[in-house]
Amino acid sequence: MTDHTDIVFKRHQGQAITIEGEAPARTRISLHVLVDRYAYLHMPDPQTIVFADQVVYRITGYDEGTLTLELVEDWRPAPTVQLPLTDEQAEEIKAEWKEQHGNGGVVHPVTALGEGDSGT
């Protein structure tokens, strides 16, 4: 028996629907999805379904109103991973910041107001 995992969609207000997380290798969908006017999918040929212009599935079976799908392509960009900075990189960033923003001294000179001076 083959395990099937749900595709997780996310609706973004004022933007497109996206596929969240990893696209499952195998999934199932109801035939009703194909006629849902809010479903963001298209079928470039009778055996292929493209969801949200992001993932491509091939239809591999049908059982009681449900299509069985297998992932063909995931067009989404690979997630970027921010690796921790090395000590050398951190020191370089600190040096650049000090060069651009000064030496940590007083930024603006402070002038004490004399007695009786209202400051106006």
Side-chain angles (χ1 to χ4, degrees):
M1 182 173 161
T2 306
D3 290 335
H4 295 88
T5 307
D6 290 336
I7 300 173
V8 179
F9 295 92
K10 184 172 184 180
R11 186 177 304 274
H12 303 273
Q13 185 174 359
Q15 298 177 4
I17 293 171
T18 59
I19 309 282
E20 292 296 301
E22 191 172 325
R26 289 176 217 42
T27 191
R28 295 181 192 159
I29 64 164
S30 168
L31 281 179
H32 294 103
V33 172
L34 300 179
V35 295
D36 182 346
R37 68 181 182 166
Y38 297 110
Y40 189 24
L41 62 86
H42 71 279
M43 296 181 68
D45 61 60
Q47 292 81 32
T48 306
I49 300 177
V50 179
F51 291 98
D53 292 332
Q54 295 178 328
V55 293
V56 181
Y57 281 89
R58 180 177 59 241
I59 300 171
T60 58
Y62 171 80
D63 184 34
E64 298 179 16
T66 303
L67 294 174
T68 307
L69 308 175
E70 185 174 283
L71 182 64
V72 175
E73 289 183 78
D74 188 340
W75 294 337
R76 297 173 297 165
T80 57
V81 176
Q82 176 65 47
L83 298 175
L85 294 176
T86 63
D87 291 339
E88 185 177 280
Q89 290 170 324
E91 288 303 318
E92 186 177 312
I93 291 170
K94 286 178 189 177
E96 286 178 23
W97 189 90
K98 282 184 179 181
E99 187 177 303
Q100 290 177 4
H101 301 287
N103 60 7
V106 176
V107 177
H108 300 286
V110 177
T111 307
L113 297 175
E115 271 208 26
D117 188 3
S118 64
T120 56

